Amino acid sequence: MNSEPMSRTVKRLGLTLLVCWFVPSTCVAVSLGSVGALQALTAEPTSIPGDPPIDILLGGALCGWLFILIGFCGFFVARHEADPIVRLWRRVLPPLTVLSLLALSPTVAQVGGRHFGEWRRLKSLLRENEARVQQMIGRTEGSLSEEESALVRAWFLEHPVSLRFESEPEPVRIRLMHSTPPYVGVDFGRGRNAVFDPVTMLCLYSD
């Protein structure tokens, strides 16, 4: 007897949730597309091949796309084809999401490229030397003491680790940069330094 009113209530609740997801999803897609376009128009060559703002932008974009994807799942399984909000979602969000992906594709390519070619070798060196520092101090985390920092710096002075980058006139060097993990970073020369996560290769710090 109460199945039909209950069904209408569930349908109404479901559509309300879809509307609540549609509005922020649209805002996220438009924002990502706008930021990507602005980044492409105003970006200047960085002094080093690492730039934390770009990496932060990519992290935010990934969260935004995940948010939109969750909404996609709900809308594409919705059975109420005639509902305007469902039709609007399917007509508006896919092209906006594609545009945001295209606008941010240079950023994705820049960060993603750090896992290939000469960057792949750099990633390997960072991981090897991060593990070496951990072995020298006897632990995998925590702040280095002054004695430990001096010990690690002395080791890198005696055993320099370098890698040739095609874009750099001189080999870049791996050395101790932080007293907290990740301990090692990249010295690009001429006062340019950067610290990368040795797994994701996201730039955590640069100057």
Side-chain angles (χ1 to χ4, degrees), residues 17-22 24-25 64-78 86 89-90 93:
L17 291 175
L18 290 178
V19 171
C20 292
W21 208 283
F22 173 76
S25 294
W65 288 327
L66 178 61
F67 180 82
I68 294 173
L69 179 61
I70 294 173
F72 271 131
C73 295
F75 274 90
F76 276 105
V77 300
V86 175
W89 173 282
R90 293 177 178 175
L93 259 298

Side-chain angles (χ1 to χ4, degrees), residues 119 122 126 165 172-175 177 184-189 192-196:
W119 276 94
L122 178 62
L126 288 173
F165 259 76
V172 301
R173 294 185 298 113
I174 307 297
R175 65 178 180 83
M177 287 192 180
V184 299
V186 187
D187 183 347
F188 290 93
R192 303 169 305 154
N193 305 289
V195 175
F196 298 90

Side-chain angles (χ1 to χ4, degrees), residues 22 25-26 29-30 65 68-69 71-73 75-76 85-102:
F22 173 76
S25 294
T26 303
V30 171
W65 288 327
I68 294 173
L69 179 61
F72 271 131
C73 295
F75 274 90
F76 276 105
I85 185 62
V86 175
R87 297 201 306 271
L88 185 62
W89 173 282
R90 293 177 178 175
R91 290 175 182 175
V92 172
L93 259 298
L96 285 179
T97 304
V98 170
L99 287 175
S100 70
L101 286 167
L102 292 174

Side-chain angles (χ1 to χ4, degrees), residues 161-183:
V161 181
S162 62
L163 174 68
R164 170 66 70 175
F165 259 76
E166 290 184 2
S167 60
E168 298 297 319
E170 299 293 334
V172 301
R173 294 185 298 113
I174 307 297
R175 65 178 180 83
L176 179 69
M177 287 192 180
H178 275 184
S179 61
T180 55
Y183 302 110

Side-chain angles (χ1 to χ4, degrees), residues 41-194:
L41 292 173
T42 62
E44 298 179 359
T46 56
S47 58
I48 63 172
D51 190 354
I54 291 178
D55 296 35
I56 294 172
L57 171 60
L58 179 58
L62 292 176
C63 292
W65 288 327
L66 178 61
F67 180 82
I68 294 173
L69 179 61
I70 294 173
F72 271 131
C73 295
F75 274 90
F76 276 105
V77 300
R79 296 181 179 180
H80 310 293
E81 299 285 346
D83 289 317
I85 185 62
V86 175
R87 297 201 306 271
L88 185 62
W89 173 282
R90 293 177 178 175
R91 290 175 182 175
V92 172
L93 259 298
L96 285 179
T97 304
V98 170
L99 287 175
S100 70
L101 286 167
L102 292 174
L104 286 166
S105 58
T107 299
V108 175
Q110 178 178 342
V111 178
R114 297 177 191 162
H115 297 275
F116 304 95
E118 57 190 8
W119 276 94
R120 184 182 181 88
R121 176 57 181 158
L122 178 62
K123 176 183 177 181
S124 178
L125 287 176
L126 288 173
R127 298 183 71 172
E128 289 173 8
N129 286 279
E130 187 73 13
R132 179 174 286 113
V133 171
Q134 293 171 356
Q135 185 178 15
M136 292 173 65
I137 65 175
R139 61 180 187 278
T140 60
E141 56 185 16
S143 299
L144 298 179
S145 65
E146 293 184 7
E147 294 78 9
E148 290 171 334
S149 296
L151 174 66
V152 175
R153 288 195 182 93
W155 187 93
F156 278 106
L157 286 175
E158 295 177 7
H159 308 85
V161 181
S162 62
L163 174 68
R164 170 66 70 175
F165 259 76
E166 290 184 2
S167 60
E168 298 297 319
E170 299 293 334
V172 301
R173 294 185 298 113
I174 307 297
R175 65 178 180 83
L176 179 69
M177 287 192 180
H178 275 184
S179 61
T180 55
Y183 302 110
V184 299
V186 187
D187 183 347
F188 290 93
R190 303 193 300 278
R192 303 169 305 154
N193 305 289

